[in-house]
Amino acid sequence: RTRRAGGLMVIGEDPRPIRSLTVDALRVLVYEDERQLGIAAGRAVASELRALLARQARARVVFASAPSHREMWRELSRAQGIGWDRVVAFHMDEYVGLPAGSPGSLGGLLCRELLAIVRPGEVHLIDGSAHPAEECRRYSQLIAEAPIDIACMGIGENGHIAFNEPGEADFQDSRLMKVVRLDTESRQQQVNDGTFASHPEVPERALTLTVPALMAARRIFCVVPGHRKRQAVQRALWGKVSPSCPASILRRHPNSILYLDAGSWGG
């Protein structure tokens, strides 16, 4: 629970959602602000990892690589009792043509701000500098080796999940990874997030796990803070389940939670 002392949240206690509801199969929890959202989501993922590792040898986790996940990463990185040496870590997408060491690399961001801190036993990064078709084959084989236990994902400003773009996402895709062309709104979001200085600097193509690959995860924790995501969240929750809003497919997943703050919820 959350307690207020002089207007400040007592961090040692679990944040309490200001709203909770279920839309189809999707559980939705709304928190007062991004920090409380991040604490709640980070603790939930940590709890799930501890439970998994108590009953199985390894846990396979796919992470989104997004600045909006920083608060969750911070909480997850300080969680106790997780055998990170038995965690196998993947990520969801990467720009074509960018090696991991590039400042804008999505895998690089995830490594700097989470994986280098918690040090999973295995880390599998998408190589954006490799031949795209060959990299899709290589990474698909790694993903297919065993079930994904947890997916920590987000929703884009245009409603994408990973880089499965509106209208281009395929809910029945037979592939696990593919090459996509990013739409204008997705590229602008990277500028809004501060990852790139200007729109022309954002690569036009990316490698992404497909919608079926993401939905195959046994549990999904979806973290979506900020007012810029509000319209996408509203479409995902209340619109038709359709590739026109890829995030709407979350309503069909049997074990998923969507974490929002007041900005992304909008009331």
Side-chain angles (χ1 to χ4, degrees):
R1 293 189 178 93
T2 300
R3 178 166 56 85
R4 291 278 168 173
L8 299 176
M9 185 179 68
V10 179
I11 299 299
E13 300 184 8
D14 289 338
R16 178 181 296 172
I18 59 175
R19 183 79 184 267
S20 62
L21 63 153
T22 300
V23 181
D24 296 334
L26 178 62
R27 187 181 178 198
V28 183
L29 299 176
V30 184
Y31 291 85
E32 186 173 327
D33 54 36
E34 183 174 355
R35 179 69 183 124
Q36 292 189 46
L37 178 160
I39 292 170
R43 290 180 181 176
V45 173
S47 177
E48 180 66 12
L49 278 171
R50 285 190 288 264
L52 282 168
L53 293 170
R55 63 177 184 263
Q56 61 192 53
R58 298 192 301 174
R60 290 163 54 90
V61 187
V62 176
F63 292 98
S65 305
S68 60
H69 284 212
R70 283 187 170 119
E71 294 293 347
M72 183 191 74
W73 292 342
R74 183 177 293 117
E75 189 65 24
L76 185 56
S77 67
R78 64 175 56 152
Q80 301 298 308
I82 298 173
W84 283 103
D85 60 323
R86 294 191 287 131
V87 173
V88 183
F90 303 88
H91 66 127
M92 295 182 180
D93 44 25
E94 184 57 273
Y95 301 110
V96 170
L98 284 188
S102 300
S105 164
L106 295 170
L109 172 69
L110 181 65
C111 279
R112 289 191 303 272
E113 302 204 16
L114 178 65
L115 302 183
I117 299 170
V118 299
R119 298 188 178 279
E122 293 183 36
V123 174
H124 298 290
L125 296 181
I126 302 167
D127 185 355
S129 65
H131 186 282
E134 293 177 0
E135 185 62 2
C136 283
R137 285 193 292 271
R138 182 189 76 87
Y139 213 74
S140 294
Q141 289 175 354
L142 291 169
I143 291 290
E145 283 180 357
I148 296 299
D149 295 298
I150 296 173
C152 297
M153 60 190 297
I155 295 175
E157 293 177 22
N158 65 354
H160 70 222
I161 50 177
F163 271 137
N164 294 282
E165 302 283 36
E168 300 296 327
D170 183 354
F171 289 177
Q172 307 299 325
D173 207 316
S174 61
R175 297 164 291 181
L176 295 177
M177 173 172 272
K178 63 183 178 181
V179 182
V180 294
R181 185 165 296 277
L182 303 180
D183 75 13
T184 298
E185 193 172 353
S186 277
R187 295 176 70 204
Q188 183 59 43
Q189 180 181 328
Q190 312 313 310
V191 180
N192 296 344
D193 287 343
T195 307
F196 294 90
S198 65
H199 191 279
E201 294 180 25
V202 184
E204 295 182 356
R205 295 192 303 156
L207 299 165
T208 184
L209 294 185
T210 61
V211 173
L214 298 172
M215 291 293 287
R218 289 168 168 164
R219 290 207 66 180
I220 292 177
F221 298 87
C222 188
V223 173
V224 189
H227 70 277
R228 293 203 309 265
K229 305 289 183 74
R230 184 180 301 174
Q231 289 187 357
V233 167
Q234 293 298 307
R235 291 196 302 271
L237 291 179
W238 312 118
K240 183 180 178 181
V241 176
S242 161
S244 64
C245 181
S248 63
I249 195 65
L250 292 170
R251 288 158 44 192
R252 299 278 173 83
H253 193 277
N255 202 349
S256 59
I257 304 178
L258 175 61
Y259 292 86
L260 306 175
D261 63 6
S264 55
W265 169 247

